[in-house]
Amino acid sequence: MARLISHLDHSIIFVILAFSIGCCKAYGSLVEKKSSPLFIFGDSTVDPGNNNHINTIPENRANYKPYGQNGHFAEPTGRFSDGRVIVDFIAEYARLPSIPPFLQPSAEFFNGVNFASGGAGVLPETNKGLVIDLQTQVKFFEEVQESLTEKLGDARAREIVSEAVYFVSIGSNDYMGGYLGNPKMQENYNPEQYIGIVIGNLTQAIQVLYEKGARKFGFLSLSPLGCLPALRALNPKASEGGCFEEACAFAQAHNNALKAVLTSLEHLLRGFKYCNSNFYDWLHDRIINPSKYGFKDGVNACCGTGPYGGIFTCGGTKDVPHYDLCDNVGDYVWWDSFHPTEKIHEEFAKALWNGPSSTVGPYNLQELFLGKEMLTIADEVDDPISASQQFSY
């Protein structure tokens, strides 16, 4: 299985792209820096509470205790974390206010908006009827674009859209529930075909945003899915204590395919810039070597029950009401059965923000937000993240 889907044939990548696309230096002391707006698309890794406002199942919500228990927010917000998620830190580093959920009443969109939905996938079929899928999220962006044009005029709205950074974190649910948990999908498509469908639809979404004026993109690649406590507990060889290899193989194949697509898009789409990074290896290293990075446990969930804390409980009105909660969440890589702790979110946000070219590329997020030409020595001194805080693989 791992060998079969470790990469996509170059001809498949070409077909995906063809189908999708067919449809002077200034010094910081002299020029005022202005950060770009931030638009976010994705799943529970970046959902700030959109699912609070839709009709869904308890497992797709996190607006109850012990979520948000670290006190950063006055009450649980709907973030699948003990506190903040990666895009909260990215907004902070970009000197932006907190980016609101699209469905939050009376939200202002001038600095960006978050469309993410816990449980969402790239494909509309993934958790259909219970989430806001990527295609719908892109349609919501078009509504925001129209709203900005009405309020600010066409020229200013176009400026916001073209200067913004578009952060995308989605795909895990397509493989975990959409394929591995869906026998019918497995009958209809082999793994390589299915990955091609997911990547093709993701490429189309990127292309639609580009046609609307988007130029700068950031991507959170998939984590080692088989090492999530929930998937580790479902491992056919769980007694051996290892990760679910088939799920990990899907994540690696998806990441490899997306990397190839992004490289091609950079050459095919004028002005297309992106930040990508190997979240798989970055997180896997912390899972197997937690003490190397200041953690004590890279296997078990802080909040959950059963083997590895892999039964998805952690509060709310889920079918299994009981859950165990660790004493010190800072010791753990995993917050609940599927999601990492705020500490992991923060550390990877730092790596994406100003990580070196050996780990993040071809741009880091700081360069996308502030402009490469603006990053003088003076800017580095004033950077919200000092060079000593950079993280590498």
Side-chain angles (χ1 to χ4, degrees):
M1 170 67 183
R3 182 191 64 79
L4 173 64
I5 64 172
S6 61
H7 67 280
L8 284 181
D9 185 87
H10 288 295
S11 62
I12 296 176
I13 294 292
F14 177 80
V15 170
I16 289 171
L17 287 170
F19 176 67
S20 172
I21 295 174
C23 320
C24 98
K25 295 189 176 182
Y27 290 93
S29 59
L30 299 177
V31 181
E32 181 182 359
K33 291 186 300 185
K34 183 178 181 181
S35 186
S36 304
L38 174 60
F39 292 102
I40 301 155
F41 304 81
D43 52 27
S44 58
T45 54
V46 289
D47 183 0
N50 278 308
N51 278 12
N52 301 348
H53 307 283
I54 66 173
N55 185 21
T56 189
I57 57 177
E59 287 76 10
N60 287 343
R61 284 192 176 139
N63 56 338
Y64 46 77
K65 296 180 179 180
Y67 288 95
Q69 70 160 19
N70 69 12
H72 180 83
F73 300 104
E75 57 187 20
T77 61
R79 289 167 170 82
F80 291 80
S81 167
D82 55 304
R84 290 162 287 181
V85 294
I86 188 168
V87 289
D88 294 311
F89 294 103
I90 291 171
E92 176 187 332
Y93 305 155
R95 298 183 175 91
L96 292 169
S98 179
I99 305 301
F102 173 73
L103 295 181
Q104 176 180 301
S106 304
E108 294 289 352
F109 305 142
F110 305 120
N111 292 298
V113 62
N114 190 326
F115 304 98
S117 170
V122 172
L123 304 182
E125 294 81 5
T126 299
N127 292 324
K128 188 174 183 178
L130 300 172
V131 298
I132 309 166
D133 61 79
L134 181 59
Q135 186 178 44
T136 303
Q137 292 180 32
V138 172
K139 289 180 180 177
F140 285 164
F141 167 75
E142 293 171 354
E143 292 182 21
V144 169
Q145 191 173 20
E146 291 175 2
S147 174
L148 290 172
T149 300
E150 291 175 1
K151 294 179 179 179
L152 304 175
D154 184 67
R156 178 59 181 140
R158 286 177 179 273
E159 182 182 0
I160 289 175
V161 168
S162 65
E163 287 300 317
V165 173
Y166 297 76
F167 192 81
V168 181
S169 176
I170 199 166
S172 297
N173 296 304
D174 295 291
Y175 300 112
M176 292 189 294
Y179 190 85
L180 293 174
N182 189 337
K184 184 176 181 181
M185 198 66 76
Q186 294 176 40
E187 290 177 12
N188 293 335
Y189 306 100
N190 66 39
E192 190 167 277
Q193 290 172 327
Y194 186 78
I195 294 168
I197 293 170
V198 174
I199 291 294
N201 278 266
L202 179 55
T203 306
Q204 281 185 281
I206 295 169
Q207 173 66 8
V208 170
L209 292 172
Y210 178 88
E211 291 173 350
K212 295 293 179 180
R215 292 296 181 269
K216 299 182 290 186
F217 292 81
F219 295 91
L220 182 63
S221 55
L222 301 191
S223 68
L225 298 178
C227 300
L228 274 59
L231 274 291
R232 192 185 288 267
L234 293 175
N235 183 5
K237 300 179 181 179
S239 60
E240 300 176 10
C243 301
F244 193 162
E245 292 183 4
E246 191 172 13
C248 285
F250 267 111
Q252 287 179 309
H254 174 97
N255 290 341
N256 290 338
L258 179 60
K259 181 179 179 181
V261 166
L262 293 176
T263 300
S264 297
L265 289 177
E266 185 180 24
H267 294 292
L268 293 169
L269 301 179
R270 183 176 181 180
F272 179 85
K273 299 178 180 179
Y274 69 93
C275 168
N276 195 21
S277 185
N278 188 350
F279 188 40
Y280 185 104
D281 289 342
W282 186 95
L283 185 56
H284 190 258
D285 197 22
R286 284 152 179 78
I287 291 169
I288 62 176
N289 300 301
S291 60
K292 180 180 175 182
Y293 300 97
F295 298 95
K296 293 183 179 179
D297 193 325
V299 172
N300 299 286
C302 170
C303 185
T305 193
Y308 314 110
I311 297 177
F312 191 29
T313 54
C314 201
T317 57
K318 301 183 182 72
D319 291 338
V320 180
H322 170 76
Y323 65 90
D324 300 311
L325 187 63
C326 68
D327 293 328
N328 186 1
V329 66
D331 291 339
Y332 286 73
V333 168
W334 299 107
W335 160 244
D336 66 18
S337 308
F338 290 95
H339 307 100
T341 58
E342 181 190 80
K343 186 176 178 180
I344 288 290
H345 281 282
E346 181 178 14
E347 290 187 0
F348 196 64
K350 291 174 182 176
L352 284 172
W353 180 255
N354 63 3
S357 58
S358 59
T359 62
V360 181
Y363 294 86
N364 61 38
L365 286 180
Q366 184 184 47
E367 292 167 342
L368 292 184
F369 273 99
L370 303 179
K372 211 166 188 176
E373 70 278 3
M374 295 295 297
L375 297 178
T376 64
I377 294 177
D379 295 326
E380 292 295 332
V381 171
D382 192 40
D383 189 358
I385 307 173
S386 67
S388 64
Q389 291 178 294
Q390 290 184 4
F391 289 80
S392 60
Y393 302 133

